[in-house]
Structures are given as structure tokens and as C-alpha cells.
Amino acid sequence: MSELKPSNPKDAVGSTKLPLDLVPATAIAMSSLAHLDGALKYGAWNWRYAGVRSSIYVAAAIRHIQKWNNGEECDSDSGVHHLGHALACINILIDSMAVGNLTDDRPPKVDISTFMSMLNQDVKRLTELHADKNPYHYSIKDSK
């Protein structure tokens, strides 16, 4: 049996830092294409100079997610995957918050967490109401 090598002193320090290695390279690669598309259209890092309105990027991210969820893989204008575009929108929101140039035009706040929690009671009630049913749940594979 071989002896265990003592841990590198850097391990103790490194293990307390942000685990950036946990962000999938696939997500970084996909969002980079959307950032490239934006850089070629509007200029790299344009949002850091001009700032952004949160509503514009939230709406764009939701549109891309909805289109992907509806079975459309890539944006018809750029050919870039919709999820890459959605990630880029979220990246820009986060970066704009970090640099302090985000115009926060979100709607007035509501306690959505409590509201959603209350609706969970309805989910339970409906699930119990239909417990004896066994419906077929259609998916995108059925539309091909």
C-alpha cells in the first residue's frame, strides 16, 4: 500500500474560493456564441458602456426559453441555440448588476414565494382528486 501524499497547502485556501469549475463548459460555450452574435451586431461589452433595462433582457430570456420549450432549437435570426441566447441575457443582467449600470424597471414587488407556496396546496388537492386517472402525457416527441 502506498503512502498518502500530504495535501498541498494551496488546497486549504483554494477550497474556500468560488468553485468556478462547477459551471459546465458546455453552457459557457453555448452562451459565448450568443455573446458573439451580440458583439458582432452591437459591439462587445456594449451593455457595460450603455447600461441595460432589466425588463428588456428578462423578456428576451423568457422568449428564448419559451421558443426552446416549444420545440424550436435555434433562433431563426442568428442560428444560435435559444438556450445560449437565454444564458447570454441572464449573463448581461448579472454583469450589469455587478457594475452598477442596470436600470431596474421590474414591476412592483409581490410576495411571490408565499403566493406560490399557497398554490402548492391546490397542486396537492388536484393531484389527489385525479389520483385514480392515468392520462397519457404528451411531449414534443408526439408532435413529430
Side-chain angles (χ1 to χ4, degrees):
M1 184 182 262
S2 65
E3 290 184 42
L4 292 176
K5 180 179 175 185
S7 183
N8 184 318
K10 174 74 174 160
D11 292 352
V13 175
S15 65
T16 66
K17 307 286 183 179
L18 279 174
L20 297 175
D21 60 310
L22 296 178
V23 179
T26 51
I28 294 170
M30 186 86 68
S31 66
S32 74
L33 284 178
H35 280 285
L36 173 63
D37 179 54
L40 294 172
K41 287 195 285 189
Y42 310 116
W45 303 97
N46 67 84
W47 67 89
R48 279 200 180 168
Y49 176 76
V52 299
R53 287 181 20 224
S54 60
S55 62
I56 299 299
Y57 285 84
V58 168
I62 291 169
R63 282 193 303 273
H64 284 294
I65 290 170
Q66 289 293 347
K67 287 178 181 182
W68 176 80
N69 198 46
N70 194 49
E72 187 177 302
E73 295 298 317
C74 295
D75 182 75
S76 61
D77 294 334
S78 67
V80 173
H81 201 283
H82 281 299
L83 295 180
H85 276 295
L87 285 170
C89 291
I90 294 168
N91 293 345
I92 290 169
L93 285 167
I94 291 169
D95 192 67
S96 295
M97 285 189 324
V99 300
N101 67 358
L102 178 70
T103 299
D104 189 349
D105 63 348
R106 291 176 288 175
K109 187 176 178 180
V110 64
D111 186 356
I112 194 69
S113 295
T114 299
F115 183 73
M116 288 182 174
S117 292
M118 288 177 7
L119 294 178
N120 286 337
Q121 297 168 14
D122 289 314
V123 171
K124 182 180 180 198
R125 179 184 55 77
L126 290 168
T127 303
E128 290 169 356
L129 177 66
H130 300 292
D132 61 330
K133 313 283 189 314
N134 189 22
Y136 179 79
H137 296 290
Y138 294 89
S139 70
I140 199 163
K141 69 181 178 186
D142 295 303
S143 61
K144 292 184 180 192

